[in-house]
Amino acid sequence: MRTLIVNVRVFDGHGLRPPGSVVVDGDRFGSGTEGDRVIDGAGAAALPGLIDAHVHLDGRESLDRLVRAGVTTALDMGNGPMDRFDALRYTRGLTDVRTAGVIAAAPGGMHEHIPFLRDHLVRGVQDADGFVAGRLAEGADYIKIIVGNPEPSHDQATLDAITAAAHRHRKLVVAHAMSIEAYQMALRAGVDVLTHAPLDRPLDDDTAARMAADGRAMIPTLGMMAGVVAAGPGWPARYEAAEESVAVAHRAGVPIIAGTDANTTPGVWANPPFGEALHRELELLAAAGLSPAEALRAATSRPAERFGLTDRGVIRPGLRADLVLVDGDPIADLGSTRAVTRVWCGGVEHTPAELARAAG
């Protein structure tokens, strides 16, 4: 089935092109101007399916919420047990997911109290190879390490060993880091992506320049950082430090990626809502200095590039047909990304009526 969507303004990574058309041919974007079925987009903005690069999924309902918000790919940053999580993978027509599985936490920290992590704590260098091997055996797509909150953390040698073990298996390494010291340790270890932003003090220009030069990326989760500060974590934390860190990193050329830390976990600082939180995150990134187009890239092409999702992130013939139609002009007003009217996940359409029923 070829669906021709006419009268839509396609986001090309820089702006919205004049009204034109998009072809959904099965589960891929097609080419040409013919279709078995024609949909009038009525001047809507056509965006690549949005990618939330930091979630903690919790059942089918979390996927439904993501779809309603136009989030067609979700990168889970810690979940388990994996046999339960696997039920969320590979469901045609719903948000496509990747996961770190069990994350590398040290004894004594907050994460030690999360049940599925308790039996997989990394207690030192001697555990690094076995931890990574275990995650690969379970089907993890990348490796995530906890690097202080501040809280008890791995020492530098252990961080180095986990990162090296993951890289030997050609796996990306993501570091949870919420302080300058944690950032410095993670960067010394050679991690690929840092998630969260420092709350004690902003990144300095030299550190940001080194991140850019070394090809590191940042998922600031500004909405969650605001939630941490509001909750009062018991250590000095300022939202302004996180926001300024994004500004400094962005000016230095560090790739900024949108992620929300959406979760339903009891006892954590905040529970950003699935789907809706990504739209807020885009607005927070813009407030921190990204242009609207850069904020949209942070939720489309940038995470696709960084996490090796080469079949998505842009609207191009031959790529996976992940597509979102929104009313309004998100380049002029990022808030219009909330006005989702239709969504395609891998070519499976979710109509306005379906989205409305699900929201109700």
Side-chain angles (χ1 to χ4, degrees):
M1 167 73 75
R2 279 173 60 90
T3 300
L4 176 66
I5 308 158
V6 299
N7 193 20
V8 287
R9 296 164 296 151
V10 175
F11 176 67
D12 63 4
H14 303 281
L16 293 176
R17 298 203 300 260
S21 62
V22 176
V23 174
V24 174
D25 189 354
D27 63 354
R28 301 282 153 173
F29 289 120
S31 58
T33 57
E34 296 182 354
D36 304 306
R37 173 171 171 252
V38 178
I39 295 174
D40 184 355
L47 309 176
L50 301 177
I51 300 173
D52 189 334
H54 189 143
V55 301
H56 297 276
L57 295 172
D58 183 20
R60 166 65 184 264
E61 184 181 357
S62 56
L63 296 182
D64 292 335
R65 289 176 178 270
L66 290 168
V67 170
R68 292 201 299 270
V71 180
T72 59
T73 300
L75 304 182
D76 188 277
M77 286 297 165
N79 219 311
M82 285 294 284
D83 57 353
R84 184 177 73 88
F85 182 85
D86 280 344
L88 301 178
R89 295 212 222 197
Y90 318 123
T91 304
R92 185 173 183 272
L94 291 181
T95 300
D96 190 37
V97 299
R98 302 288 189 275
T99 188
V102 174
I103 55 183
M110 177 187 74
H111 292 82
E112 182 178 6
H113 303 293
I114 298 175
F116 71 86
L117 298 181
R118 198 172 295 139
D119 296 331
H120 300 281
L121 297 175
V122 178
R123 301 178 184 278
V125 172
Q126 70 279 3
D127 292 341
D129 286 346
F131 175 84
V132 171
R135 305 296 70 74
L136 297 182
E138 291 174 343
D141 298 290
Y142 36 82
I143 301 297
K144 185 181 173 191
I145 309 174
I146 301 298
V147 190
N149 275 328
E151 65 167 71
S153 179
H154 305 292
D155 59 24
Q156 189 67 55
T158 302
L159 292 176
D160 295 350
I162 299 169
T163 303
H167 284 167
R168 282 196 296 273
H169 291 281
R170 301 181 183 275
K171 290 296 182 182
L172 207 68
V173 179
V174 180
H176 162 116
M178 294 172 60
S179 69
I180 288 294
E181 180 183 0
Y183 257 65
Q184 298 287 1
M185 292 180 70
L187 292 172
R188 284 196 292 271
V191 305
D192 304 288
V193 180
L194 294 103
T195 189
H196 306 311
L199 286 171
D200 52 348
R201 63 183 191 275
L203 281 174
D204 60 88
D205 290 333
D206 288 344
T207 298
R210 188 168 78 252
M211 289 176 65
D214 291 345
R216 312 306 178 206
M218 182 184 192
I219 308 172
T221 66
L222 287 176
M224 175 55 101
M225 297 302 91
V228 172
V229 172
W235 41 271
R238 297 184 306 111
Y239 178 76
E240 293 78 12
E243 185 177 54
E244 179 60 22
S245 292
V246 173
V248 170
H250 178 56
R251 288 196 300 267
V254 175
I256 305 297
I257 295 172
T260 63
D261 209 355
N263 72 89
T264 58
T265 306
V268 301
W269 292 298
N271 304 114
F274 292 101
E276 177 186 337
L278 186 61
H279 299 287
R280 182 186 181 217
E281 190 70 20
L282 298 182
E283 295 163 354
L284 294 175
L285 291 175
L290 277 68
S291 70
E294 289 166 338
L296 290 174
R297 286 200 295 273
T300 54
S301 58
R302 284 216 184 277
E305 292 166 357
R306 180 49 49 125
F307 283 87
L309 305 174
T310 58
D311 63 345
R312 68 196 72 188
V314 295
I315 299 171
R316 183 183 301 150
L319 297 189
R320 178 183 162 95
D322 289 340
L323 181 68
V324 183
L325 301 189
V326 302
D327 280 339
D329 183 344
I331 299 300
D333 175 15
L334 265 177
S336 67
T337 62
R338 300 173 185 269
V340 174
T341 60
R342 287 182 192 264
V343 179
W344 281 262
C345 288
V348 176
E349 180 184 355
H350 297 265
T351 66
E354 290 171 351
L355 296 171
R357 283 198 303 270

